[in-house]
Amino acid sequence: MSEFRGVPKDALDFFEELGMNNTKSFWLEHKPRYDEIKESLVALGNAVDPQFHPLRIFRPNRDVRFAADKSPYKTNIGMSGETEGGSIVYVHLDAAGMFAASGMYMMAKDQLQRFRASVDHDVYGPQLVTVIAGITKTGIEVTHGGEAPLKTKPKGFDVDHPRIELLCWKGIITSRMFGAPAWIHSKRLAKEVESVWVGSQPLVDWLDLHVGPTQEASSR
């Protein structure tokens, strides 16, 4: 097991080049570069606090079955883990640099129902507002996740609800885009990624307690 020393120096160049030449021939020719990047992410996963284990790396191939863009490979490499309560921790690297996040990116229908009921609750809702305020003060962003919020109020809620903005969200995540400072090529990166996940823990705890994992047979 190799010690984490940061991502390779040419990692960002690799993804930029892949974006300009997303072909099987390029991939096969440069796969050793990708393998080195992948190995560094495995080492990163081993370097963070074990509370975030296990972490898995996403496969590099895109699912193009229903996509207009038939480019075969992802122009990033990502890794994630999941809590027993259904929240995720996530990190990815692409041509722009390193990005870390946590929370619930896109809630399944049953999760969304529990989320809105908890946001509406006289105690749990204000608790969430306080949690978000505390996290954003540390420089970590809190956003609505993978789907755009509703343009109108959810059914059953008043438009003047004190937390109407949150009620319109379909996911909620914390995130920090690190970009490409020199230290992403050093072991400092593990501590920076871990700091986002640790700083986001109050939101993860709230979600795990009040929303939890989906019980649907096939979640999104």
Side-chain angles (χ1 to χ4, degrees):
M1 186 183 299
S2 59
E3 180 184 358
F4 180 66
R5 299 183 182 277
V7 297
K9 294 287 187 181
D10 79 333
L12 277 60
D13 290 339
F14 169 80
F15 288 115
E16 184 175 6
E17 293 167 27
L18 178 62
M20 294 186 292
N21 190 8
N22 199 324
T23 62
K24 186 175 182 180
S25 60
F26 176 90
W27 179 263
L28 292 177
E29 181 181 354
H30 295 273
K31 190 170 183 296
R33 295 168 68 191
Y34 173 82
D35 290 341
E36 185 181 4
I37 296 167
K38 180 179 178 180
E39 183 179 346
S40 74
L41 240 68
V42 171
L44 169 62
N46 292 329
V48 299
D49 192 295
Q51 70 175 302
F52 302 114
H53 295 173
L55 296 161
R56 69 176 185 89
I57 293 180
F58 295 107
R59 63 197 301 268
N61 303 82
R62 296 181 63 246
D63 183 353
V64 299
R65 290 174 297 172
F66 308 107
D69 178 7
K70 300 299 182 182
S71 301
Y73 304 105
K74 298 172 184 175
T75 55
N76 65 62
I77 183 169
M79 178 171 65
S80 73
E82 184 173 350
T83 67
E84 290 186 4
S87 296
I88 61 101
V89 293
Y90 174 80
V91 63
H92 83 228
L93 177 71
D94 61 17
M98 193 64 103
F99 171 86
S102 65
M104 293 185 175
Y105 189 64
M106 290 183 0
M107 295 180 189
K109 289 182 180 179
D110 62 331
Q111 291 176 307
L112 191 54
Q113 290 174 349
R114 294 192 293 272
F115 174 73
R116 288 179 175 155
S118 297
V119 170
D120 182 48
H121 194 276
D122 290 341
V123 176
Y124 309 146
Q127 284 177 349
L128 177 59
V129 172
T130 300
V131 163
I132 292 172
I135 292 173
T136 56
K137 282 181 180 178
T138 70
I140 299 172
E141 190 174 8
V142 181
T143 58
H144 55 70
E147 281 192 69
L150 292 175
K151 294 182 179 179
T152 59
K153 68 180 183 66
K155 185 177 180 180
F157 296 98
D158 294 330
V159 69
D160 60 350
H161 191 288
R163 294 175 292 282
I164 189 61
E165 180 181 359
L166 286 171
L167 287 168
C168 291
W169 287 11
K170 300 179 184 179
I172 181 168
I173 64 165
T174 64
S175 66
R176 177 173 285 165
M177 179 63 192
F178 297 113
W183 50 256
I184 70 169
H185 306 296
S186 73
K187 53 183 166 180
R188 172 180 168 181
L189 177 59
K191 291 301 181 185
E192 295 289 345
V193 169
E194 186 178 293
S195 72
V196 174
W197 295 345
V198 170
S200 304
Q201 196 62 45
L203 176 62
V204 168
D205 290 342
W206 189 95
L207 289 170
D208 286 357
L209 179 62
H210 299 297
V211 179
T214 180
Q215 302 301 316
E216 295 180 6
S218 178
S219 61
R220 288 182 296 180

